[in-house]
Structures are given as C-alpha cells and as structure tokens.
Amino acid sequence: MAKLTIDNRPIEVPPGATVLEAARALGIEIPTLCHLDGFEHSTSCFVCVVKVKGKPGLVPSCATVATDGMEIESESAEVRDARKMALELLLSDHLGDCIGPCHAVCPAHMNIPLMIRQIAAGRLRDAVVTVKEHIPLPSVLGRICPAPCEKGCRRGQHDAPLSICLLKRIVGDADLAAPEPWLPERKPSTGRRVAIVGAGPAGLSAAWYLLRDGHAVTLFDDHAKPGGMLQYAVPEEKLPRAALDAEIALITRLGAEVRLGKRVECIAELRGDSDAVLIAAGELRPGDAARLGLPASKTGVEADRETLATPVRGVFAAGGAIRPQKMAVRSVADGRAAAASIAAFLSAPSVVGGVSTRRESSRDGDVPPTVSVTRHDFSTHIGKLREGEMPVFLAEATDSPRVEPASGAAAGFTEGEARREALRCLHCDCRKPGACRLRRWSAALDASPSRFKAERRNFVQHRQHGLILYEPGKCIRCGLCIQVCARAKEELGLTFIGRGFDVVVGVPFERSIAEGLRKAARDCAAACPTGALALREGEDPSPPR
Ligand code: SF4
Ligand code: SF4
Ligand code: SF4
Ligand code: FES
C-alpha cells in the first residue's frame, strides 16, 4: 500500500493506483477530460494537474502513480490557474455554441431551441415546461415582447429569423386552453413566508418560482387588479386582459395570496410576518425608497446587481424598482433571479442578504460572506459564419420562408403554422450541453473562451450516421474514441489524421463516419468528453466520468 496525503488528508491506496484514484477515494473531485477509467491515458488535456510537494512544476494526476510519502496539493491557486489555462487553451480553437445564439441573447435566458424542437415534435405540453422554467407569463410576453432573441437568431443571416415570440405565445395559449393548464409540482413547504410588494411582471415572476420552491408568498399591490404595467400601461388590443388574467390566475392557483388595494407604507409593516421581502413595485417616485425604509440609488432602490439584495438584511428588490425597465421580459428575468437569491437567503441567511458583493460590510452590522446566485450558463460562441458554413446549418431545416399567421399577427399561429415555423430552426445549440465535461469544467473554473485565440477552424458536421453526429470543431483530440473503436474491433474506426497542430480525428481513407462507426457509435458518443461525437437527438445517455 502507498501512504500519501492530498490537501493534508491521509490516504492509503494499493500499489500502482494513480493520484487521481487516491483523490477520488478521499471524495476529492479532480477535473478530467482525456482520461477515462479502463482506457490508456493520452495525457493530452492537463486539466487534471496537481502539485507534488518538493517537485518542480505540476503533474497530471490521471497518469501519476501514488507513492509512499507523497504530499499532494489539489486545490491551491497555482493548481487552479494551471487547470484554467489548460481549459482556455482547449477553448482557443473550439468551434461550437453550447447554447443557441437566440438563447444567449434572451434576457430571460429561456432555452429557445429546446422549446422549438418540442413544438416541431408536437409536444406542446413539454414545451410549456421548458418555457415556464424561465418565463411564467408566456402568453403575455408572446404578445408584447420586442423579441431581442429574434435579433440574435442565426436563421436571420440566411432569410428571416425564427418567429420565436409567436412560438412562445402558442405554447402559453395552448396551455391556457388545456383542460388542466400545467402547474409545476411544489416542493414541500419550507414554512417560510415571502412578502412581495408589487404584483407586476417582476413580482409575479418571483412569486411563481418562490412558490415552486415551497415558500409561502403574499403579493401586495395598491391597485385594484394585479399585473402592474401589464394591466395598466399596455393597450387591450396588444394584450387582451383575458390572457393576462388567466396567467395570473395560474400563479394564484399555485398558491400565491394577492392583497389588492393595499399600499405598503414601510417595509417594517411586513417584516414581522415575513422571512424575506421583495420590492417589485415598478418604477419608484423620488422619496419612495426612503419612505419604504430603504437606501436609494440614482435610479430607485439600492440593490446589488447580482444578488438583488438591498443593504437591509432580508430585503431584496427587482425590476423597475431598481432601475427603469424598457422590456417586461427583463422584469420577469429579474423576478426569477430575485426568487433564487431569496431562496438562497432563506436556506442560508448568513450567506446571502443584506449585503452587496462589492460592499465590505452590511448596514446591519455583521459581515457575512457573499455568494453569486445569478450566474449565467457558460457558453462558447461560433459568432459570424464564414462563407459556405450556412448550408451546413441549413442541412436539416426546411427552406420555407418565415411563416406568417394566416389570420394575422394578432391571432397568432395555429398549431400547424407553429410546427412549420419550428421546422425552420437550425438547431444551433450543442447536442451535449449537459454531458460535456469541457463546458462543465470551464464553467466551474471560470475559464474564458476568448483568452487565447488560435486560428478558427471551419464549421463542419459529419451527418452520414443515423445515430450520431460528428463535429470536428469540438474535438479536443483526446483519442478516446479511437481507443473505443479499437476495442470494438471496428473495421475502419477512427484515427488521427495529419500531424502536429493540424491533426484531426477522422475515418481513415476518407470514408464516411457511417462506414467508420458500424458498431461503436453509441460508445464513442458516451466516451467523448465534449459534444464532438454526440447522439443526433441530443445528450449522451450514459456520460462517463
Ligand atoms: S462541445 Fe461542450 S464546450 Fe463545445 S459547444 Fe458543446 S457543450 Fe459547449
Ligand atoms: S435558428 Fe433556431 S437555434 Fe438557431 S438562433 Fe434561431 S431559433 Fe435559435
Ligand atoms: S471526437 Fe474523439 S478525439 Fe475528439 S474529443 Fe471526442 S473522443 Fe476525443
Ligand atoms: S491529462 Fe489527465 S485527464 Fe487529461
């Protein structure tokens, strides 16, 4: 047995075990990409490096045998920086969009390509689950949103962007028309109460997500009806109140208590009955913040931009109450972010709340550590396409022009029109965003895809195989798929082609991916640490470590 320490924790491992295996035995997770248990290590990625005390430099833990007396550091700044740099080098010539360009620019960060695939497959009930993960008012926003996502839609570079807003609207409308509109399952009650001042888009959105998480929610609004600016500032012909009222009714059916005609003079009134307070009262007039008992900024209530916590412990602010909002979708996004912050505060009040990430001390006196609870997903971006690359994207989309609703935009799509429009989508997002370890570790280590810039590869997709798709621009040349093919005794399999920096993985003799992978396609997709080899329908069924 070899006795060693990792981060000062002693461990004994059998002779021949690697440092990576010893770390795993201690429950220490070390990132890996090119390593797969049971396969030869290629030691090509270097994201698994650790420091051996007394030795110069760093070593790859996946290929370093643990020996008696070793003292390993796996979490020092030096190790972290080296892993991050290894990832950034891999990202420097990586060509893919983890999330679709539309998804990246949607202020609510909705998974638009997934919604579109569900519409194309006629699965509107699944689509509403996708939509309401980020937008609890799709029928409303589907009528009034200026659709910044459509400006980011790649199809717009070819003919016209997808009609994303109308697609979202039909998902919401079909749900409202269903005998039992969809409601998320609520988590068991936490016994915590949240008071929300303002039943406009930010407050309603926060209520939905807090209720879903098992908190009790009371919305206070000084108007006679809920909805805020949606109710009182948008013309009826643009937003029929029936749609607004029906979507609000779902939030109350989920459990929200709404107290109307109730002007909250000061948050002190609410704090006795509530564990947290959210100010979502829309744009405030001068003096309103002070009247409520909150510090003011130039644009509204003072709140941290990330956590949305005000300097008063347990009080948060969202939407127009912090700064004027031009788009309701931003308020909806803010409401969801505030709900996440409040949920974090309610589960660990010493960690979030009453403090800004940029402030040294809270006004309540103590100095809790801070966390970021509103981090957006990591994504690499292809950016502008080169000549000849659009046809690659268009290969599986219909070439129909943008579908216009036959009964006019105000009537929206029929289900058939929606399906036809959905089939225009280029499916720009990666097929393995959840299983890709390059993405996972890049997000965890805050790696920047643009720190190093290597020569951009051309966007290519090998789509001759019925089960899998191969995108060489996402290949990190780890060779795992080559080993999988060899083990499966593939006749052709995959191999390294070319030399040095120009090496690529491909089928020998310029044969197709379908000919190369007759037996091992699924296993290759499972072994590939990135989205380079992925199932055509998306995600890997059994992602290995
Ligand atoms: S392979 Fe990974 S890093 Fe690359 S686009 Fe797909 S999810 Fe993102
Ligand atoms: S083509 Fe589809 S996936 Fe691509 S940006 Fe447009 S809506 Fe999103
Ligand atoms: S395609 Fe093969 S060589 Fe490239 S990243 Fe995937 S498993 Fe590694
Ligand atoms: S070098 Fe160890 S996982 Fe890649």
Side-chain angles (χ1 to χ4, degrees):
M1 297 292 272
K3 287 186 188 173
L4 65 156
T5 61
I6 304 182
D7 302 332
N8 298 318
R9 293 165 63 193
I11 180 81
E12 262 184 63
V13 288
T18 61
V19 171
L20 177 67
E21 287 163 339
R24 284 179 180 168
L26 278 170
I28 296 171
E29 198 178 16
I30 292 179
T32 59
L33 291 181
C34 70
H35 168 83
L36 193 56
D37 290 347
F39 287 85
E40 297 281 313
H41 32 245
S42 63
T43 333
S44 61
C45 76
F46 283 88
V47 302
C48 68
V49 290
V50 293
K51 174 87 185 162
V52 183
K53 263 199 195 159
K55 295 250 166 93
L58 302 172
V59 297
S61 62
C62 68
T64 302
V65 173
T67 54
D68 237 12
M70 259 182 172
E71 290 176 56
I72 305 286
E73 278 176 12
S74 85
E75 284 169 354
S76 64
E78 182 190 8
V79 166
R80 198 184 152 85
D81 286 352
R83 290 176 184 171
K84 185 173 163 180
M85 187 187 286
L87 289 163
E88 286 169 334
L89 286 167
L90 291 172
L91 292 170
S92 67
D93 70 344
H94 194 80
L95 193 69
D97 293 316
C98 307
I99 61 174
C102 49
H103 183 170
V105 298
C106 169
H109 217 55
M110 183 177 87
N111 191 339
I112 294 165
L114 177 60
M115 171 194 78
I116 292 178
R117 286 193 285 280
Q118 290 164 330
I119 295 171
R123 299 187 348 242
L124 290 186
R125 189 78 170 178
D126 292 340
V128 81
V129 179
T130 300
V131 171
K132 290 205 169 184
E133 182 56 40
H134 290 87
I135 297 180
L137 303 167
S139 275
V140 170
L141 290 191
R143 288 171 166 85
I144 64 163
C145 190
C149 55
E150 293 183 15
K151 293 182 187 74
C153 172
R154 178 164 286 137
R155 178 91 195 210
Q157 294 168 32
H158 173 63
D159 47 11
L162 266 280
S163 202
I164 299 167
C165 209
L166 282 183
L167 289 172
K168 176 181 68 207
R169 174 178 152 183
I170 191 171
V171 171
D173 287 357
D175 184 51
L176 291 178
E180 272 301 317
W182 180 78
L183 285 178
E185 200 171 315
R186 283 187 75 184
K187 291 194 183 142
S189 168
T190 60
R192 303 303 188 94
R193 297 199 68 81
V194 183
I196 300 179
V197 180
L204 290 167
S205 167
W208 175 268
Y209 296 107
L210 287 164
L211 290 162
R212 191 186 68 171
D213 283 353
H215 308 297
V217 172
T218 308
L219 287 144
F220 297 88
D221 201 293
D222 52 1
H223 293 90
K225 287 183 160 194
M229 51 79 68
L230 302 170
Q231 190 72 258
Y232 292 102
V234 183
E236 166 80 24
E237 57 275 18
K238 213 172 163 201
L239 174 58
R241 294 304 182 263
L244 173 63
D245 295 345
E247 286 197 324
I248 294 175
L250 288 182
I251 299 173
T252 49
R253 200 184 299 172
L254 193 59
E257 186 189 341
V258 186
R259 294 201 200 156
L260 297 168
K262 165 74 184 150
R263 181 177 154 93
V264 174
E265 296 297 341
C266 177
I267 51 165
E269 293 169 38
L270 305 173
R271 297 194 73 191
D273 291 337
S274 316
D275 300 289
V277 175
L278 174 64
I279 308 298
E283 277 184 47
L284 302 179
R285 291 159 308 181
D288 277 353
R291 175 180 59 77
L292 285 164
L294 295 167
S297 69
K298 279 189 192 139
T299 53
V301 172
E302 183 187 342
D304 179 75
R305 275 182 185 270
E306 262 188 68
T307 65
L308 304 176
T310 73
V312 177
R313 173 174 286 280
V315 180
F316 296 76
I322 303 177
R323 67 194 98 80
Q325 300 285 336
K326 288 201 184 74
M327 291 189 281
V329 64
R330 282 204 194 283
S331 297
V332 166
D334 246 22
R336 185 179 187 276
S341 270
I342 292 169
F345 167 74
L346 292 175
S347 63
S350 64
V351 178
V352 187
V355 71
S356 154
T357 48
R358 289 180 296 280
R359 194 175 293 116
E360 291 303 314
S361 64
S362 79
R363 293 186 190 180
D364 281 5
D366 54 352
V367 191
T370 57
V371 293
S372 163
V373 292
T374 52
R375 205 175 171 284
H376 270 185
D377 285 350
F378 172 90
S379 187
T380 56
H381 300 288
I382 296 177
K384 209 170 174 325
L385 297 189
R386 288 180 176 168
E387 208 172 315
E389 290 181 336
M390 182 57 86
V392 182
F393 277 99
L394 286 164
E396 286 182 6
T398 59
D399 62 2
S400 129
R402 181 166 156 127
V403 177
E404 299 299 337
S407 309
F413 281 142
T414 62
E415 282 194 35
E417 287 168 340
R419 190 156 182 277
R420 271 200 291 129
E421 179 63 4
L423 290 169
R424 293 178 64 239
C425 178
L426 307 179
H427 191 158
C428 304
D429 55 336
C430 188
R431 276 143 180 92
K432 244 177 165 179
C436 172
R437 286 182 285 151
L438 176 59
R439 183 179 189 221
R440 177 185 166 205
W441 289 114
S442 296
L445 291 167
D446 209 15
S448 160
S450 55
R451 176 153 170 222
F452 303 112
K453 269 287 159 221
E455 199 183 323
R456 181 187 178 289
R457 304 189 220 182
N458 287 324
F459 183 73
V460 177
Q461 286 184 327
H462 295 272
R463 34 175 81 247
Q464 303 90 348
H465 203 288
L467 184 70
I468 59 155
L469 184 69
Y470 174 42
E471 294 183 58
K474 297 175 181 173
C475 173
I476 60 165
R477 306 169 182 105
C478 68
L480 283 170
C481 54
I482 297 173
Q483 289 195 55
V484 169
C485 287
R487 211 172 264 191
K489 300 199 173 17
E490 280 282 10
E491 198 181 314
L492 285 169
L494 293 164
T495 186
F496 286 118
I497 300 168
R499 284 172 174 277
F501 288 117
D502 293 328
V503 76
V504 291
V505 168
V507 182
F509 314 120
E510 295 183 18
R511 304 280 282 276
S512 77
I513 194 83
E515 293 168 290
L517 301 183
R518 293 197 190 280
K519 299 183 252 183
R522 183 175 283 274
D523 289 346
C524 283
C528 179
T530 74
L533 280 165
L535 298 186
R536 293 177 77 98
E537 79 256 25
E539 288 295 5
D540 186 325
S542 54
R545 290 168 81 160

